[in-house]
Every structure is written in C-alpha cells, then in structure tokens.
Amino acid sequence: MTNHEEAAAVRPLTLAWVNRQLEVGERIVRTEARRGGITAEMRRLTIGTRNAGTRDLVLRTFVNVEHAEDWLNREAGALTLLPGTGVPAPGLVAADPTAAHCEYPSFLMTHLAGRTVLDDEGLETRVPRLARQLVAIHALRPAERPREYVALTTADTVVTPNGADAAAWAAAIDVIRRPAPTYEGRFLHRDFHPGNVLFDVPPSKPASARITGVVDWAATSWGPADLDVAHCSTNLALLHGPAWGQRFAEVYEEAGGVLAAAASERLYWRVRDGLAFSQEVQMVSQPWREAGRTELTTRAVEERLDAYVTTLMNALG
C-alpha cells in the first residue's frame, strides 16, 4: 500500500458507520485523501449508486483534537439551517461528534463542486465575490442563534515576530487590552477566508470565477461582522500582501456590508484578529505551501503579518 493509499483508507469502525448512511445498493468505490485541512483529516468518498452512477461525499475526521465534539455539533447545526438560504454549503449526511460509532469524532457531508484558489492571478475578481458572499452570510437570521463568539488571543499570548516593528506591535497589543467594543450581532462563519471558499474557475477565463461553496462551518458564532471581515482580511494580507487585507473591508462595505462606525472600533477587531495569527503562523502557512504557494515560508508569512499589523496601526491607530 502506498502512502497516499494509506492516507485515503477509512478506519474500520468509521467505514462501517459510513456504509450505514448509504442508500440500499450503494457502496464506496473509491476514497481520496484531501489536502488543506488544518485540524481534520479530509477524505472524498466516491459512492457507486444503484443505477450504475456515482456521487461523492466528504468525510471529516478529527483525530485527537480538543473541542472536536463542540465543533462538530456546531457544524451540524449550521448545515441544518443553511438549506434554502441561498448560501452554498454542503448538506449534512450524518455526524458522530462523540465517536460513539467511529474511532474518532467524524462528520459526513455532501461534496460540492469547485476548488479553493489561493493564487494571485484573478484576485481582483475573486475578492469582490468573497465580500458579497460574506455579506449574504451576515444577513442570515436563524431562529436559534449560535453561541456567542470566542476570542482566545489575549494581550499576554501574542508572539511578536523576530525583527518586527516593536513600537507598532506594542501599540497593537495595547489596543486589545481594552474592553471589546459594543456591537450589533450577526451570524458569523467565523473562519471565512479563501481556503474555505470553493470556486469554479474556467481555465480560459479566470476572471469569470464564481463561488460554488463555503465550507468548514465548525466555528459558527454570533458576533460582530467586523470579526469575520477582520479574519478574511488577515488571510488575504498573508496570502497576497497587506494592501489586500486593507482592501477587503472596503469591498465588503461596497457590497452592502455594515462595519463599526468608529475607526477605533474597526481597529480593535482588525488588530485582534491579526495578532491572533502570531501564535499560529507555521500552522496556517503549511497548508498554503502544500497547495502550491511554496514561497510562503513561515518567515515570509511572519514578515507579511508584521507589515500588515504595522499598516493597520498607521492607517487606523
């Protein structure tokens, strides 16, 4: 068995659980390990149907991950309410958040067409589409709200990169020592960024890229729209340069989104998210390199994060 085949293989208990979710006469004919996940193993399962056709499912497995039960319950809740809203998301097939049936907490969902796009080419077209999609997510008003957002980073846990602008980082850390601003709550994806959005990109017309799906709803929360915008902004800044991090908030408002009125409040949310990345640069950059952005070494991403935080303090501080 090759390494790829071993990675794609589904564990015995999980395999039996998946088989129980299939229609009579269906069977798994192929499994494929997928790259890109930070916290979970991802597998694409091709299902042979009774009429000799196929359909695809996606299996997420959380191996020794803290809070896996909570994440899977939240994702299941989100995917239950999204059908009919116009937000393209996977359909829930089954969930085993406590590993009652599987070796590890697992989640089975429908497969969406499209792929993540992390390249610089075509960014001018994709960013407005990302903004419009996020505005649509924030417009959702579920009958039952998800739990309030959680921000784990504190002023004392920030890791200032080597060679960073010490004065700018000290000022930024002081910003998040303040109490969080008041806000009007919105339905948040809470991990909205290019790595969690699927696009259909015609090979001959990259400018015609369209969104086919938004995935990874495990952190769904209720909180300020600024927080989701800040998270996508930081990702864009690290992937494509600080200017794109700044630009995303502008495009979000152009698409009809509403952010905090005061510059100090906007700064708080943007800086809070940017500083959160200081603790996990290596973790977030590795999937980008695996996806082909080999130039995004840990050091290169640290330098972009420093430039972005400095830009925020100069522009809004």
Side-chain angles (χ1 to χ4, degrees), residues 84-139:
T85 64
V87 175
L92 172 64
V93 176
D96 183 18
T98 62
H101 307 284
C102 305
E103 286 86 352
Y104 299 100
S106 299
F107 195 88
L108 190 64
M109 63 193 127
T110 59
H111 175 266
L112 297 176
R115 60 182 178 88
T116 56
V117 184
L118 305 181
D119 300 331
D120 290 335
E121 183 182 6
L123 191 59
E124 298 84 355
T125 299
R126 296 196 307 275
V127 165
R129 286 170 169 72
L130 289 170
R132 289 195 292 271
Q133 185 61 75
L134 191 54
V135 170
I137 291 171
H138 291 165

Side-chain angles (χ1 to χ4, degrees), residues 158-169:
V158 174
V159 179
T160 303
N162 292 330
D165 185 324
W169 277 73

Side-chain angles (χ1 to χ4, degrees), residues 71-96:
W71 287 359
L72 290 185
N73 280 326
R74 277 201 278 171
E75 183 153 24
L79 297 191
T80 299
L81 67 85
L82 288 172
T85 64
V87 175
L92 172 64
V93 176
D96 183 18

Side-chain angles (χ1 to χ4, degrees), residues 40-60:
E41 296 176 353
M42 303 286 291
R43 293 175 177 85
R44 178 175 174 174
L45 311 179
T46 300
I47 311 300
T49 61
R50 287 176 293 180
N51 61 1
T54 61
R55 65 187 180 103
D56 290 328
L57 299 176
V58 174
L59 174 67
R60 295 182 71 195

Side-chain angles (χ1 to χ4, degrees), residues 2-317:
T2 66
N3 290 338
H4 179 76
E5 289 171 334
E6 185 175 355
V10 180
R11 296 176 180 87
L13 292 178
T14 305
L15 180 61
W17 174 75
V18 170
N19 281 326
R20 291 196 294 272
Q21 316 308 320
L22 304 181
E23 300 290 337
V24 174
E26 291 188 330
R27 61 189 180 88
I28 300 172
V29 297
R30 185 170 183 266
T31 63
E32 177 188 357
R34 306 300 298 269
R35 291 181 176 178
I38 294 177
T39 57
E41 296 176 353
M42 303 286 291
R43 293 175 177 85
R44 178 175 174 174
L45 311 179
T46 300
I47 311 300
T49 61
R50 287 176 293 180
N51 61 1
T54 61
R55 65 187 180 103
D56 290 328
L57 299 176
V58 174
L59 174 67
R60 295 182 71 195
T61 303
F62 288 75
V63 179
N64 299 326
V65 175
E66 191 177 6
H67 308 305
E69 179 180 353
D70 176 56
W71 287 359
L72 290 185
N73 280 326
R74 277 201 278 171
E75 183 153 24
L79 297 191
T80 299
L81 67 85
L82 288 172
T85 64
V87 175
L92 172 64
V93 176
D96 183 18
T98 62
H101 307 284
C102 305
E103 286 86 352
Y104 299 100
S106 299
F107 195 88
L108 190 64
M109 63 193 127
T110 59
H111 175 266
L112 297 176
R115 60 182 178 88
T116 56
V117 184
L118 305 181
D119 300 331
D120 290 335
E121 183 182 6
L123 191 59
E124 298 84 355
T125 299
R126 296 196 307 275
V127 165
R129 286 170 169 72
L130 289 170
R132 289 195 292 271
Q133 185 61 75
L134 191 54
V135 170
I137 291 171
H138 291 165
L140 299 177
R141 295 294 181 270
E144 184 176 345
R145 294 180 181 178
R147 78 173 192 181
E148 202 77 7
Y149 80 92
V150 175
L152 300 178
T153 302
T154 70
D156 297 324
T157 59
V158 174
V159 179
T160 303
N162 292 330
D165 185 324
W169 277 73
I173 290 170
D174 283 341
V175 167
I176 68 169
R177 291 187 192 279
R178 308 169 193 163
T182 57
Y183 59 86
E184 183 177 354
R186 291 286 185 269
F187 182 84
L188 306 182
H189 181 281
R190 197 63 179 91
D191 196 19
F192 186 89
H193 61 81
N196 280 333
V197 179
L198 306 177
F199 282 89
D200 174 29
V201 185
S204 59
K205 294 183 178 180
S208 300
R210 65 181 183 86
I211 291 177
T212 58
V214 181
V215 300
D216 198 351
W217 295 82
T220 303
S221 309
W222 189 261
D226 286 79
L227 195 53
D228 259 359
V229 171
H231 191 62
C232 193
S233 295
T234 305
N235 275 273
L236 289 170
L238 302 186
L239 278 166
H240 308 292
W244 283 106
Q246 288 284 77
R247 176 64 179 144
F248 184 71
E250 299 169 359
V251 177
Y252 175 84
E253 290 188 295
E254 291 168 3
V258 178
L259 296 174
S264 61
E265 295 175 354
R266 296 185 181 207
L267 177 66
Y268 177 91
W269 299 114
R270 300 262 205 101
V271 164
R272 173 168 283 288
D273 189 83
L275 296 183
F277 274 74
S278 72
Q279 304 167 62
E280 50 192 31
V281 169
Q282 183 173 357
M283 182 175 68
V284 300
S285 61
Q286 181 176 341
W288 295 343
R289 291 191 295 274
E290 292 175 351
R293 295 294 305 273
T294 55
E295 79 281 11
L296 294 179
T297 63
T298 299
R299 183 57 188 154
V301 175
E302 283 180 339
E303 291 173 350
R304 284 190 172 183
L305 179 60
D306 175 38
Y308 179 56
V309 169
T310 302
T311 298
L312 288 176
M313 295 308 299
N314 290 338
L316 298 172

